[in-house]
């Protein structure tokens, strides 16, 4: 693996179902992020983690939860999916959470909630 | 609340033209501004990062400028090529935290 991987690539999900999007990085970056990208709105930060064991809320955290048990993995869970969560989800990482860091992005997961 | 706007939403130019993409933001109290490239169905690739104390950054045919007082940044692409076709996004970072706000992007098409 080189960089950030996300799984699944795409998913169609019935409303009310639980779903976990997976994100793994092999760069030993301390900080990781989840964004959603919607047409005309750009990317919006859902949750972030500055280091293993800590997480924080971004701009649009409602309906999502995250955990950071180790450095490499940062799963995003939708406890009960709703159609408004249809979006493309990107995971990203950076060396640290400092403002000067460049963020590196995964290829994305396209999620459709019916 | 920080708002980031990119105009135009789409741009089509012939190969070889020099072009400018625009990004504006409402709150000038930023730490840095970053330009990204996104190819269809792909993630984002960082192109240039300008710290708030800087006026511009250059990488190859790309030059990004920053004018904090007016809330504007431009991405200049020289001698455009078909391979430059992509969506270009700008993002501003407000503080020493994870508050990074993105514009919706400009979709660039460079025709051979």
């Amino acid at each position: 693996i080189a960089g950030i991987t996300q799984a699944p690539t795409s998913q169609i999900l019935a409303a009310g179902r639980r779903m976990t999007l997976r994100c793994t990085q092999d760069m030993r970056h301390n900080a990781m992020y989840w964004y959603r990208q919607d047409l005309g709105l750009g990317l919006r930060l859902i949750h972030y983690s500055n280091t293993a064991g800590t997480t924080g809320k971004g701009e649009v955290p409602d309906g999502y939860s995250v955990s950071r048990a180790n450095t490499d993995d940062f799963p995003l869970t939708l406890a009960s999916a709703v159609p408004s969560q249809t979006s493309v989800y990107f995971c990203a990482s950076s060396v640290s959470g400092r403002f000067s860091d460049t963020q590196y992005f995964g290829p994305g997961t396209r999620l459709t909630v019916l | 609340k920080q708002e980031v706007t990119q105009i135009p939403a789409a741009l089509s130019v012939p190969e070889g033209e020099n072009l400018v993409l625009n990004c504006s933001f409402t709150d000038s109290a930023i730490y840095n501004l970053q330009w990204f490239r996104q190819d269809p169905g792909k993630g984002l690739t960082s192109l240039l990062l300008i710290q708030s104390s800087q006026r511009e950054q250059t990488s190859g045919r790309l030059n990004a400028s920053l004018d904090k007082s007016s809330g504007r940044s431009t991405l200049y692409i020289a001698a455009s090529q078909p391979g430059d076709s992509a969506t270009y996004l700008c993002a501003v970072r407000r503080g020493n935290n994870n508050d990074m706000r993105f514009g919706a992007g400009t979709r660039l098409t460079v025709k051979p």
Side-chain angles (χ1 to χ4, degrees):
Chain A
I1 302 177
I4 300 177
T5 57
Q6 292 184 236
T9 301
S10 64
Q11 181 74 44
I12 299 174
L13 189 67
R17 297 296 295 268
R18 180 184 180 90
M19 176 73 191
T20 294
L21 307 184
R22 299 185 298 278
C23 174
T24 299
Q25 53 102 357
D26 65 355
M27 298 177 283
R28 307 304 293 173
H29 284 174
N30 285 314
M32 297 186 75
Y33 316 82
W34 274 107
Y35 294 88
R36 59 177 290 172
Q37 184 176 32
D38 302 289
L39 193 63
L41 294 178
L43 277 78
R44 292 179 291 169
L45 182 65
I46 305 171
H47 285 287
Y48 65 91
S49 168
N50 283 335
T51 188
T54 69
T55 62
K57 294 181 180 181
E59 185 183 357
V60 289
D62 294 342
Y64 305 94
S65 64
V66 292
S67 61
R68 187 87 184 279
N70 57 61
T71 297
D72 298 343
D73 301 299
F74 191 42
L76 176 73
T77 297
L78 289 68
S80 179
V82 295
S84 63
Q85 292 178 311
T86 293
S87 187
V88 181
Y89 291 85
F90 288 100
C91 179
S93 72
S94 63
V95 174
S96 73
R98 287 164 40 192
F99 64 85
S100 57
D101 284 347
T102 295
Q103 293 190 9
Y104 298 87
F105 283 76
T109 293
R110 183 174 297 275
L111 181 67
T112 302
V113 182
L114 301 176
Chain B
K1 178 185 174 184
Q2 178 72 274
E3 302 284 347
V4 182
T5 304
Q6 292 185 247
I7 295 174
L11 180 65
S12 181
V13 301
E15 182 178 3
E17 267 203 12
N18 302 324
L19 60 100
V20 174
L21 306 180
N22 297 296
C23 173
S24 61
F25 45 95
T26 55
D27 185 348
S28 61
I30 66 170
Y31 270 69
N32 64 42
L33 184 143
Q34 204 163 352
W35 282 93
F36 293 87
R37 170 186 172 134
Q38 185 177 27
D39 293 289
K42 305 287 187 181
L44 280 67
T45 301
S46 180
L47 297 173
L48 291 164
L49 185 151
I50 311 176
Q51 303 293 356
S52 62
S53 58
Q54 298 174 320
R55 297 281 295 185
E56 65 178 337
Q57 281 285 334
T58 298
S59 176
R61 294 183 294 109
L62 305 179
N63 175 275
S65 68
L66 175 63
D67 184 342
K68 274 180 44 177
S69 61
S70 67
R72 294 178 187 274
S73 175
T74 61
L75 179 66
Y76 175 82
I77 302 177
S80 59
Q81 303 170 357
D84 294 330
S85 297
T87 297
Y88 291 81
L89 298 100
C90 69
V92 298
R93 195 141 193 185
R94 281 203 301 171
N96 193 13
N97 54 30
N98 292 289
D99 186 6
M100 195 155 83
R101 299 297 170 99
F102 284 79
T106 294
R107 188 174 69 253
L108 173 66
T109 302
V110 180
K111 297 181 178 180

